[in-house]
Amino acid sequence: MEKADGTSEKRTWDNEIDNQRKPTATGNGIPTELVAVEYGWKNAVALGKDGSVWTWGDSPENTTPTKVIEGRTSSELAGLSAANKTVNVGVQEKAVLTALPVPLNADYASLTWTSGNSTIAKVSSRGVVTGKQKGTTTVTAKISSASGRNYSQQFTVIVDGTPSRGDANRDGKVNMADIGTIINYLAGVTEGVAFDSVDVNGDGTVNVADIITVTSIIAE
């Protein structure tokens, strides 16, 4: 290391120095739990659980941590809000349900989603609902705080049974069987097949372009 007077000094960073500096991370006024601390040559940087960033050094005038980026303030969880509590989807179509903590800056431990009947509509861990077959069911969002507070909201999901785009055989699914239906239609096997279901791209004809469209839908 080159010093200000032009001379050089060789310094070795070791665990002893590291351990000497670690206590200052929690003992000098950082009011939040730390989730990460990184130690450099002359300074340390810490990330607080609230998103704040702190730094300090090993010189006598720089051992007190200084906050360089503000974190978010948090509040006690007081409820769960919901938007669009009645949702209409088609078979194999998706919709996003929205549930937010009250207040928005509230700390919470978990937010879970449960379908009342997953054969009618299933829901992902992020609140994305997918219609499975015609019918009506409920989806419940439940939020819990670390202190044991629980709140919930219930959504009504109506699956109208309208075939999804690409569901050429109208079985409620879009898969390779629909490609087979279109191929058979092109070969002259048209009995029981609705034209608007195999004309997937809606251009008024049934051709290879419809097969490509179904392939793209399957790949999504």
Side-chain angles (χ1 to χ4, degrees):
M1 179 182 69
E2 186 172 343
K3 300 171 69 175
D5 60 5
T7 61
S8 62
E9 176 185 359
K10 184 177 181 180
R11 296 183 65 182
T12 301
W13 189 260
D14 57 25
N15 290 334
E16 181 180 354
I17 296 175
D18 204 19
N19 290 331
Q20 288 174 356
R21 297 174 63 187
K22 282 183 179 179
T24 63
T26 55
N28 276 325
I30 298 182
T32 180
E33 179 183 346
L34 299 180
V35 296
V37 181
E38 292 293 334
Y39 297 93
W41 182 252
K42 293 287 289 182
N43 295 283
V45 177
L47 174 64
K49 188 176 181 180
D50 63 355
S52 60
V53 176
W54 302 75
T55 183
W56 66 96
D58 61 357
S59 61
E61 66 276 8
N62 192 27
T63 55
T64 301
T66 300
K67 181 164 57 175
V68 293
I69 297 178
E70 290 287 345
R72 68 176 181 87
T73 57
S74 60
S75 301
E76 183 73 22
L77 182 66
L80 182 66
S81 67
N84 301 325
K85 294 183 69 174
T86 299
V87 177
N88 292 75
V89 295
V91 175
Q92 292 302 116
E93 291 181 344
K94 299 179 185 292
V96 179
L97 306 180
T98 302
L100 299 171
V102 179
L104 287 175
N105 66 339
D107 282 329
Y108 62 93
S110 65
L111 175 60
T112 59
W113 297 86
T114 307
S115 173
N117 188 337
S118 58
T119 63
I120 294 176
K122 69 176 184 178
V123 66
S124 74
S125 60
R126 295 182 177 274
V128 179
V129 66
T130 303
K132 303 300 292 181
Q133 66 178 20
K134 185 175 182 178
T136 301
T137 188
T138 58
V139 169
T140 302
K142 179 182 177 181
I143 194 169
S144 302
S145 70
S147 62
R149 294 189 178 189
N150 298 293
Y151 302 94
S152 63
Q153 287 283 357
Q154 194 170 84
F155 299 79
T156 299
V157 179
I158 302 169
V159 183
D160 61 20
T162 301
S164 297
R165 181 167 172 261
D167 184 14
N169 60 9
R170 298 199 171 182
D171 66 349
K173 304 174 184 178
V174 180
N175 51 32
M176 294 300 294
D178 298 296
I179 293 177
T181 298
I182 298 173
I183 292 173
N184 289 338
Y185 189 93
L186 291 172
V189 183
T190 61
E191 184 178 355
V193 180
F195 176 81
D196 61 349
S197 67
V198 290
D199 180 20
V200 180
N201 58 13
D203 64 355
T205 61
V206 179
N207 51 36
V208 175
D210 297 296
I211 296 175
I212 295 172
T213 301
V214 175
T215 302
S216 299
I217 293 171
I218 293 172
E220 289 178 352

